[in-house]
Amino acid sequence: MASKIGCLLAFTALLKASLAWGPVPATSSRIRRVRCQLGATDLAMSANLHGQNSCFLPLKQLDQDYFAPRIIQIAGAYPGLTREEFFAVTSEPAPDVGQWSYDFSDPDGPQMGTVAVEGSPQVHDCEDPVVLIAEHPSLGVPLPDELENPVDLVVVVDRALKNFAERKFLVLDIPGQEGVHIGAYPTKSDLPSDATILGQVELVQIPWLPSMKPTKSGFMEVDEYF
C-alpha cells in the first residue's frame, strides 16, 4: 500500500509539473481502464527510470506541425458497396497536430478493418472520413500493363462533404442502380437529377509494386506517374 501511495504522489507531482508547460493531451477512458487492468502503478521499484544509472530511453519528441497517420475504418470494397455499408462505420476525430491517437477495434462493430493513412493536412481536415478499397480499373486509374490482376487502392472519402463540386470525385447513391458509385462531373447539370451525394473523395493511395518504375530515380519527371 505504501508503494502505491508513493507512486500516486510521484504521479501527482509530475502532473503538476507538466501543467506548468501547457495543457495535457486528453487521455481516453479506455486507455485509463487498460492502465488500471495492467497495474500501471505497480512499478518494480528496483528498476531504473530514464536518466538513472546511465539508462536512457530512445526519446523522440514530435514537431509542433507533425501530422500523424490517421487510422480510418474501412467501409467495404468498391464497386458493390451499398449505401447502408457506406454509413455503417464510424469515424474518429483526427489527432491534434503534434500528437497521435489510439485505435481500439470493436469486435461487435460493422467495420471490416482499419488502415493507417499517411498524415497530411488534407487527411487531417477530413471531418467524417471513411476508406473504400477499390480496384484500380473501377476508378480509371492507369497502371502498368504488366499487371495482370486489379490492384487495390485506398480511397479516403469525407462523408461530411455532400455538396456538388465541379470535377471533384463524388460518392453517389443513384436510385435503380446497385451499390454506390464514384464519379466526377464537369457541371452540376451533368449530375443525375435523382442522385444523392454521400461524400467526396479526398485522397487515393496507390501502392508501389515491383513492376512499377522506381519512385526515387532522382528525376521528378521519371518518378511521377500522375
Side-chain angles (χ1 to χ4, degrees), residues 8-22 24:
L8 179 60
L9 293 175
F11 174 77
T12 303
L14 179 62
L15 179 61
K16 290 181 178 179
S18 65
L19 288 173
W21 290 93
V24 178

Side-chain angles (χ1 to χ4, degrees), residues 3 18 30 38 41 47 50 78 133-134 152 157 175 200 217 220 223:
S3 62
S18 65
R30 298 190 69 175
L38 295 179
T41 57
H50 176 67
Y78 177 86
I133 305 300
D152 287 341
V157 179
Q200 180 176 307
S217 67
M220 182 180 298
D223 293 345

